[in-house]
Amino acid sequence: MTEQQGIAWHTPDEFNGAPLLGVFETGSPEWHGARSEGIGGSEIGTIMGLNPWESAFALWAKRTGQIPNPPVDNWSVRFGKAFEDPILEMWQAEHPEYTVYKTGTYRHPVHSFIHANPDAIAQHKDGSWIVIEVKTARSGWRETPPAYVAQVQHYMNVLNLPRSVIVAVAGWTWEERWVDADQWQTETQILAATRFWEHLVQVVKPVWDGSKATYEAERHLHPSIEDDEKQLGELGVELLDAQERFDEAERDLLAIKAQVLDAMGNAKHGMVGDRRVAARQARGSGTPWLVVKRDQ
């Protein structure tokens, strides 16, 4: 064990049967090399269809080098990195019964392509271990994001640990969400990771899933336009039918929105019981529009 930035390191050659792949600096060539040889916890939520920002298809296209995968270096990412250690130190102070450690990258003892590089692990004074995952978010959480639950399930699976905690500063609210290992979810994630890994190795496209991320990935896969024609057959008929259904649904939605605006009058919020389901918004002195509040 060594000391670095106030957090100790614990990197045994084997952790509960999981071999150590190495201790890599985030963003280093060695770190990218290890990531390219397996599936990590930050990817499992996407593979399971739980990531609202990216799809398994888009991830596959990036991992196989078919579309660009530029490094993310926005303020949210910088903020998260900068506050990871302070949040761990705060959690340690709140839980003196635990000792927090940074650790390395481990691989599953059976499924060698399943890797784990958790933010931290911690040992209780009784000798037991847990996984710690640190998150930051602009908005508060009504529930624990499912992709984060999948992520810690992934880590617990590799390290053979029964419990984990997601520690977050979300909307300036301190969150501690404890997650117990779930055998059914673990087996489901192993199956999904195995299928995805096979798609990567064989360079075979995953199924299309109807997400915007998949549509955008397909756009990037075919950036040029040639003066040519392709017969679409039944697929073209399905396209026309889907567009008609979409247009009809859009007309129905606009009709209901108009009725809701009429019912709301000048009110800002539309309610069903104590739940806000609609809001009128405007830019400056512009005409208000209606927003459906599905997550309120």
Side-chain angles (χ1 to χ4, degrees), residues 20 27 57 60 62 149 189 197 209 229 236 242 245 248 253:
L20 176 69
F57 186 96
W60 170 86
K62 293 174 182 178
V149 175
Q189 292 185 186
W197 185 248
D209 57 10
E229 294 179 342
R245 293 195 302 272
E248 183 178 354
L253 178 61

Side-chain angles (χ1 to χ4, degrees), residues 250-271:
E250 187 174 42
R251 289 191 294 269
D252 290 344
L253 178 61
L254 288 174
I256 294 172
K257 280 187 171 183
Q259 295 175 63
V260 169
L261 283 172
D262 183 64
M264 290 177 64
N266 292 327
K268 181 176 182 180
H269 299 291
M271 310 294 293

Side-chain angles (χ1 to χ4, degrees), residues 275-286:
R275 178 186 176 190
R276 291 177 177 175
V277 298
R280 297 170 67 248
Q281 297 181 2
R283 290 190 178 93
S285 58

Side-chain angles (χ1 to χ4, degrees), residues 25-43:
E25 181 181 354
T26 302
S28 66
E30 295 79 11
W31 181 81
H32 283 292
R35 283 175 63 88
S36 69
E37 296 174 355
I39 293 173
S42 62
E43 297 173 320

